[in-house]
Amino acid sequence: MMSTSTRDRIDAFRAQGFFIMRAFLDIAERAELRRACDAALLRTRALSRETGHSTPGISLLTDGATCFQDDPCAMELISAFVGSRRVCELLAGLSRPAEEDAPRLKDAHYYHEQTRRDWDGDWHRDSQFGHSDPEIERAIVATTTSVHFRVALEDDDRLEIVPGSHARWDTPDELRIRRGADRTTPDMPNAARIALRAGDACIFHAWSIHRATYLRAPPRRTIDALYTFARPTVRRWTLPAI
């Protein structure tokens, strides 16, 4: 699923729901970003017994005022990266025809290893959050686009995706697992593990069926930024009164 040209990337995303950019970051870039993200993680862990210890990730933007209080330059570095032309160029062409092509950043997270226990994540589509009615969710999957940009600062093989699931609704088995009682089962049909080496980036559709496993070792240091594509605003003109 490694892609190089723009056409290859778009074709892979349309067919599989994801593509990989090998060696997107060099050693120096990874080190700089890791120092900035680790500053936020260390402060978060110092302030909380739960967040940063038992949770899989911290928000780098939503909670930026707190976790970057000691190092505001680190937040500026991360914000500049996730909003950079280099990153946004990878998202060009991934929106639907009825959506704007320019992505809108919603948040960025820093995924890290657990300090207390290992656990398996639930299979899900991001579209299900906040929507208990599967029919409402089904409409969201069919009409909108939301994209994760993920770059590994250390080797990371925790992500699993069902290729192509972003472009269709669940099979009966998928819906039973995703919305049922056994959401952490390893037996999701046709799931593929995404193995990233340090510096690799993965762009995947947030509506894909996916999950991650959360372990205490080896260390996990992965930035994940979430983008959406808005629908164009329809301008309504009113004739002046005569």
Side-chain angles (χ1 to χ4, degrees):
M1 299 302 172
M2 182 177 66
S3 302
T4 53
S5 73
T6 300
R7 186 70 263 163
D8 287 344
R9 294 196 294 269
I10 293 174
D11 288 347
F13 186 81
R14 295 276 181 258
Q16 304 296 326
F18 69 94
F19 60 86
I20 296 171
M21 294 293 294
R22 298 294 184 192
F24 184 73
L25 297 179
D26 62 27
I27 294 175
E29 291 171 323
R30 292 201 326 264
E32 184 178 44
L33 280 168
R34 177 163 179 177
R35 280 194 298 270
C37 293
D38 279 351
L41 178 59
L42 291 173
R43 177 168 175 79
T44 301
R45 285 179 169 175
L47 293 174
S48 174
R49 294 184 178 183
E50 293 298 328
T51 305
H53 292 280
S54 60
T55 56
I58 61 171
S59 172
L60 296 170
L61 300 185
T62 303
D63 299 326
T66 300
C67 60
F68 289 108
Q69 186 173 1
D70 295 336
D71 193 354
C73 291
M75 183 177 183
E76 293 175 6
L77 178 80
I78 295 165
S79 298
F81 173 68
V82 296
S84 68
R85 180 177 179 180
R86 182 184 180 193
V87 171
C88 290
E89 282 179 344
L90 293 181
L91 309 180
L94 304 186
S95 61
R96 293 175 178 270
E99 296 172 319
E100 295 177 350
D101 193 48
R104 298 188 180 189
L105 177 66
K106 291 193 67 177
D107 204 352
H109 289 85
Y110 191 38
Y111 287 104
H112 51 81
E113 73 283 356
Q114 316 309 292
T115 66
R116 296 180 181 173
R117 66 182 180 93
D118 298 339
W119 51 288
D120 293 331
D122 291 350
W123 290 102
H124 66 280
R125 300 179 189 259
D126 286 11
S127 52
Q128 73 191 57
F129 300 130
H131 301 285
S132 59
D133 185 343
E135 290 306 311
I136 294 176
E137 184 198 355
R138 186 170 186 167
I140 292 171
V141 170
T143 58
T144 63
T145 308
S146 188
V147 179
H148 286 277
F149 165 82
R150 179 168 294 191
V151 62
L153 306 183
E154 299 290 341
D155 293 353
D156 185 348
D157 67 349
R158 313 286 176 85
L159 178 66
E160 296 175 86
I161 295 178
V162 178
S165 57
H166 70 294
R168 58 167 177 78
W169 189 234
D170 300 52
T171 66
D173 282 342
E174 290 168 347
L175 191 61
R176 173 182 53 79
I177 292 172
R178 185 170 68 86
R179 290 277 190 170
D182 193 16
R183 294 187 294 272
T184 64
T185 177
D187 299 324
M188 174 64 76
N190 303 313
R193 185 172 296 277
I194 309 300
L196 301 179
R197 296 188 293 270
D200 291 349
C202 177
I203 291 79
F204 69 97
H205 203 306
W207 302 165
S208 299
I209 298 173
H210 65 283
R211 73 160 183 175
T213 52
Y214 305 108
L215 308 173
R216 287 167 289 177
R220 189 185 192 198
R221 294 288 188 274
T222 296
I223 299 174
D224 183 286
L226 179 63
Y227 303 83
T228 60
F229 295 88
R231 291 178 175 269
T233 300
V234 177
R235 186 181 295 276
R236 300 184 183 275
W237 297 96
T238 302
L239 291 174
I242 299 176

